[in-house]
Amino acid sequence: QVQLVESGGGLVQAGGSLRLSCAASIRTFSSYRVGWFRQAPGKEREFVATVASWSDASTNYADSVKGRFTISRDNARNTVYLQMNGLKDEDTGVYYCAVKQLGTTDYAYWGQGTQVTVSR
């Protein structure tokens, strides 16, 4: 059974930094694309960043976080990170990681989320 556990959320002042982690219990973790998503209060969940599978590890970001957030993966540790710098109050929300296998359309497995709150 696939399990994803996010950690690293918290309360931070605007301009500050946080690093989120997503630990996966997947035997073939390196074969999965991993994405970070977030949901602000009263809003729909939105894409934040993704990192490709295997050694490709190419990345994509939402325009709203480009230049401030960095996604990376450590396949040896079955973990993906989201380094968030220059946080703004609009970055507040619950952050989720999710995974999907190569060749599939939807993210099949999701974590429970971790709260990020940015104060002015």
Side-chain angles (χ1 to χ4, degrees), residues 26-101:
I26 305 174
R27 192 171 59 180
T28 57
F29 176 69
S30 59
S31 70
Y32 285 76
R33 172 178 287 273
V34 184
W36 282 100
F37 298 79
R38 67 187 180 189
Q39 188 167 20
K43 294 187 177 181
E44 292 187 353
R45 187 166 56 194
E46 64 176 1
F47 165 76
V48 174
T50 186
V51 58
S53 57
W54 301 111
S55 59
D56 176 6
S58 58
T59 58
N60 281 294
Y61 298 91
D63 288 343
S64 59
V65 307
K66 279 181 182 176
R68 299 188 297 122
F69 290 11
T70 303
I71 188 171
S72 61
R73 66 187 301 158
D74 184 342
N75 290 331
R77 297 179 183 272
N78 277 20
T79 301
V80 169
Y81 304 98
L82 185 68
Q83 177 67 43
M84 306 187 295
N85 299 328
L87 283 162
K88 305 175 181 180
D89 55 359
E90 54 260 43
D91 294 319
T92 293
V94 179
Y95 283 69
Y96 301 89
C97 68
V99 297
K100 64 176 179 177
Q101 286 187 296

